[in-house]
Amino acid sequence: MTGKGRPPRKYSQAGRVHDVIRLIEARHGISVAELAEEAGVNKRTIHRDLVAIQEAGYPLISDWQDGEKVYRFLTRFKDVPPISFTLQELMTLSLLRSQLDPLKGTPFMEDMQSVFGKVNSVLPPRLAAHMERIAEVSLPLLQGKRDYSRCAHHLREIRNALLYQQSIVISYRSPGRAEPSDYKVDPYTLLFQKGGIYLLGYAQQREALRTFAIERICGVETLKERFEIPEGYRPGQALGEAFGIVAESPMDVVVRFSASIAHAIKDRIWHSSQKIEEQADGSILLSFHAGGKMEILSWLLSYGAHAELLSPAELREELAGMAQATVLLYRGA
């Protein structure tokens, strides 16, 4: 039975789904009963249409309004204009596509391949083939990259939670712990650092922002409850005092780099707070205000004797101990 005994309309599912989308766009929230009444079908049919709409990629969400479940879109699609690209913009997209090697096996790479499939489908064959060649003209060289193919399911859940702003519970195995722990998290941002993917979110039990390495996530459960990102939140500001992705208490760091590698240091931005002073002997002093002790130490160790940590004193002492341990290791060999 349809609402008020209205006979079912004689049109295809595609046409009916289009009408359902139009009805959802036109209102801030509409119930299954109202959709069934407007479309002239039963509620079971509407439920199937809602599943089809969500699987098609529409950001469909549900809320409770006056004790009734209603559906709406996060954005109004009728307000989004058609998007066109110049050949130069398509070339830039193709070049960026070639840099996504760390995302192989993830839903993000699948989405990117889908995007280019749609682009190529409307291009002349010769131009489409040319764009495919452009995607191969730059080659990312990534040592120690992570294999995220086994995390694809977790990334799909996290991607949807980011899109629909839904809280999640993650099972997370921290370094040095045999068993994973559960965290209830409001996912805010995905971070990409040195070929790795990290989730930055608000850990509700800790009442603080936390960073989680994707490869250490053992399970993801998406909750029905939605969250709001705090007004004024900016990921860059949240990690502005971190040397990398670890938000720890910042410290004043001063490093002397030898003249032989000074050119490789002063031509790069290592931290937004950095200052560089050139010395008479060709060496440079690099100073910055940041936290993330182990990230700073591992970075300095990669330069060996070409980098001398001058301050802070306690960090210099710790670095000296690590260097001495390395010397002993090779003397023992």
Side-chain angles (χ1 to χ4, degrees):
M1 288 291 292
T2 59
K4 295 184 180 180
R6 178 182 297 177
R9 296 180 184 176
K10 301 295 184 180
Y11 58 175
S12 66
Q13 183 190 20
R16 184 182 65 250
V17 168
H18 182 270
D19 278 356
V20 171
I21 291 172
R22 177 181 54 79
L23 289 167
I24 296 173
E25 286 179 334
R27 304 189 191 181
H28 185 66
I30 186 169
S31 68
V32 169
E34 290 171 322
L35 287 169
E37 170 66 21
E38 293 286 345
V41 296
N42 57 41
K43 294 181 181 179
R44 182 178 297 177
T45 300
I46 292 296
H47 279 297
R48 287 199 297 267
D49 292 343
L50 293 174
V51 171
I53 289 169
Q54 195 164 34
E55 289 179 347
Y58 287 77
L60 182 68
I61 62 172
S62 61
D63 290 311
W64 289 95
Q65 185 174 300
D66 298 326
E68 188 174 30
K69 194 174 188 179
V70 297
Y71 293 84
R72 63 183 177 87
F73 292 131
L74 282 176
T75 58
R76 293 181 178 271
F77 285 94
K78 63 182 180 181
D79 295 332
V80 180
I83 300 173
S84 59
F85 297 100
T86 65
L87 289 179
Q88 291 78 8
E89 289 169 341
L90 286 175
M91 177 179 177
T92 299
L93 285 174
S94 296
L95 288 173
L96 292 175
R97 175 188 176 190
S98 69
Q99 301 303 306
L100 299 181
D101 191 71
L103 297 181
K104 282 184 177 178
T106 74
F108 304 109
M109 181 60 83
E110 294 172 7
D111 291 341
M112 181 58 70
Q113 291 170 339
S114 175
V115 167
F116 275 89
K118 293 175 182 177
V119 170
N120 290 339
S121 69
V122 298
L123 293 176
R126 289 185 64 183
L127 182 56
H130 185 52
M131 289 299 166
E132 288 297 313
R133 285 193 295 270
I134 288 174
E136 299 176 356
V137 300
S138 61
L139 177 66
L141 298 176
L142 299 168
Q143 292 180 326
K145 67 179 181 180
R146 296 168 176 83
D147 178 10
Y148 286 109
S149 58
R150 62 183 180 83
C151 307
H153 176 69
H154 301 332
L155 281 168
R156 286 190 181 91
E157 291 289 328
I158 292 171
R159 177 188 59 179
N160 289 338
L162 285 163
L163 178 62
Y164 300 116
Q165 292 184 213
Q166 291 175 282
S167 299
I168 58 177
V169 174
I170 63 173
S171 178
Y172 191 76
R173 182 177 288 107
S174 300
R177 293 189 179 181
E179 298 297 327
S181 301
D182 288 343
Y183 294 85
K184 187 176 180 181
V185 179
D186 296 339
Y188 285 178
T189 309
L190 283 178
L191 307 173
F192 294 84
Q193 167 82 343
K194 296 181 180 179
I197 309 175
Y198 301 84
L199 174 66
L200 177 64
Y202 182 78
Q204 296 189 18
Q205 296 100 317
R206 303 292 180 87
E207 297 185 345
L209 286 175
R210 288 291 185 268
T211 302
F212 302 93
I214 293 297
E215 71 272 15
R216 294 190 177 277
I217 295 177
C218 308
V220 180
E221 178 188 357
T222 303
L223 305 178
K224 293 183 178 179
E225 62 186 83
R226 297 184 64 243
F227 65 90
E228 294 295 332
I229 294 178
E231 187 176 352
Y233 164 79
R234 296 290 184 276
Q237 294 176 355
L239 295 173
E241 292 187 328
F243 187 69
I245 61 170
V246 179
E248 294 178 343
S249 298
M251 54 190 129
D252 292 319
V253 179
V254 181
V255 185
R256 178 189 289 114
F257 289 94
S258 68
S260 61
I261 64 164
H263 66 282
I265 301 299
K266 65 182 180 181
D267 290 339
R268 300 190 186 189
I269 297 175
W270 302 99
H271 192 264
S272 58
S273 66
Q274 75 180 41
K275 294 179 181 179
I276 293 177
E277 299 178 31
E278 297 190 25
Q279 306 298 296
D281 62 355
S283 64
I284 61 170
L285 296 182
L286 173 69
S287 60
F288 56 86
H289 182 75
K293 182 181 73 172
M294 291 310 301
E295 289 178 305
I296 294 171
L297 289 174
S298 62
W299 173 63
L300 292 174
L301 284 169
S302 69
Y303 288 100
H306 293 289
E308 180 187 2
L309 178 60
L310 302 179
S311 66
E314 60 273 17
L315 200 61
R316 177 184 171 91
E317 183 177 347
E318 185 168 350
L319 182 59
M322 297 170 74
Q324 289 170 4
T326 302
V327 170
L328 291 175
L329 176 66
Y330 282 97
R331 281 181 178 171

